[in-house]
Amino acid sequence: MTETPERWIDPERVESAIAALAEHGARGETGVARLVYSPEWVAAQDQVAAWMSEGGLRVERDTVGNVWGYLDGRQGDLPIIATGSHIDSQNPGGRFDGALGVVAGITALAVLRERFGDPERTLAAVSLVEEEASRFPAANFWGSRAIIGRIGTEEPKRLRGYDGVTMVEAMRDAGLDPGLVQDAKRDDIDTFIELHIEQGPFLEHENLPVGIVERITGYRQYLVTLEGAANHAGTTPMDMRRDPMAGAAEIISGVIDTAFRMGRPCVTTVGRAIVTPNERAVIPQQVAFTVDARSPLPEQRETLLARHEALMFEVAERRDLKLSLRVDSDRQPVMCDPALVETIAQAATAAGVPAMTMTSGAVHDAMQMAEIARIAMVFVRSAGGISHSPDEFTTTEDAAAGTEVLTRALHTLAYPS
Ligand code: HGY
Ligand code: MN
Ligand code: MN
């Protein structure tokens, strides 16, 4: 019999922090709606900064609102090792998506400081401002894109939220200067490890608490707008209509069917539709809908996107509809660093936490950070594979097991052996 290694992480510490964060933007019993730069978002970032200070970390806020907590290393001039995730949520989502990675990062650094003192390499825990695009449909990865220098100078003025507020106004409401977004860019990050809930069924299926991500899916998100001619539902013969709903129906069922026929791992989702006017007895003038298409295999992603676009153009042409296609987000699949994956696998073994390597079907801030740093991710099991819902749940034991693995991996990377 091998002995269970001593655990560095107290599960209660992780659980109580998740519960405290969930109060900022609480919706019902278990839901959270914490949209970027809202008052509840500001309160959550303040809470995070306070925890970082209590954990003995040096706190900084950058110009876009990311909160950084540093455990300074003896070799302070070396590029840093960072961990963290996003503090915003779906509208509403659950209490773990993003938040668990923020809590795990702060907990890991505080525990490393308590147990081992100063590291050799500087460690940072970061609470990133926005990943979900739940307030601004095209903001996605606002925090990590600022860090890698991929926010255009005009973007804050151009982006408008579902609530009609521009990014400039939202940033000002949160006490930030939108003219300084570019100053959040940095070039001193060597390594970024993001802990996140799996948001899918595979770990539960394998009865494992932890996954180590090797590859993150690629995706493209479109807003498809079809324009036809509004008219009376009773008097306009079927063969005399320019009906954008008929075109949308054909495209929506077609893209979903294409992904289904191409098979795993590609997926396509139509999650939002806006019908104008939205009336029972009127052929609509316009139907707009989102298409979110993903595959972790680069060639499969290209084939999927090409088929989707061909269908959209063919249907619009045949039905005499005006098609406009806006791409809100577009990203190739990203590979995690093999050496980091191995370091995390060894940390899991040392902790006595069973784990497997896997692919992420969700997109993550880590894939933006991959442009400037080597990256990897630690996943923890999602109950029922459910996420982006108030029903999202991860047990305290699993959350602590993932945090344990993260902490030990950071220890390997930042402390002399
Ligand atoms: O859409 C995504 O994959 C991410 O969870 N926002
Ligand atoms: Mn997330
Ligand atoms: Mn999410």
Side-chain angles (χ1 to χ4, degrees), residues 311-329:
L311 178 69
M312 292 171 197
F313 286 109
E314 189 277 312
V315 170
E317 164 110 34
R318 174 163 42 79
R319 291 185 173 275
D320 193 18
L321 300 168
K322 183 167 163 261
L323 168 71
S324 64
L325 212 51
R326 186 180 88 191
V327 174
D328 285 337
S329 217

Side-chain angles (χ1 to χ4, degrees), residues 198 200-209 356 381-386:
E198 180 202 347
F202 293 106
L203 289 173
E204 192 170 78
H205 187 257
E206 298 296 329
N207 195 23
L208 291 170
M356 69 173 190
R381 174 166 45 192
S382 292
I386 295 169

Side-chain angles (χ1 to χ4, degrees), residues 271-351:
R272 187 175 162 85
I274 310 123
V275 181
T276 316
N278 201 3
E279 298 296 336
R280 191 192 305 253
V282 183
I283 301 162
Q285 175 71 25
Q286 189 188 79
V287 178
F289 53 95
T290 55
V291 174
D292 174 313
R294 308 186 185 201
S295 172
L297 309 174
E299 280 179 24
Q300 190 183 55
R301 189 191 86 116
E302 297 309 321
T303 306
L304 182 71
L305 297 176
R307 288 182 183 171
H308 287 355
E309 289 181 23
L311 178 69
M312 292 171 197
F313 286 109
E314 189 277 312
V315 170
E317 164 110 34
R318 174 163 42 79
R319 291 185 173 275
D320 193 18
L321 300 168
K322 183 167 163 261
L323 168 71
S324 64
L325 212 51
R326 186 180 88 191
V327 174
D328 285 337
S329 217
D330 188 25
R331 196 89 181 121
Q332 295 284 347
V334 168
M335 293 299 294
C336 294
D337 181 77
L340 269 185
V341 169
E342 181 55 28
T343 299
I344 296 170
Q346 286 173 7
T349 305

Side-chain angles (χ1 to χ4, degrees), residues 86 90 97 131-132 196 199 387-388:
H86 58 96
Q90 288 285 331
D97 182 351
E131 185 271 349
E132 300 285 12
H196 205 281
Q199 311 182 272
S387 168
H388 281 188

Side-chain angles (χ1 to χ4, degrees), residues 56-75:
L57 309 183
R58 177 172 57 82
V59 181
E60 269 179 12
R61 294 173 188 249
D62 67 22
T63 51
V64 79
N66 296 314
V67 181
W68 297 84
Y70 298 97
L71 187 52
D72 290 310
R74 282 188 283 269
Q75 300 206 44

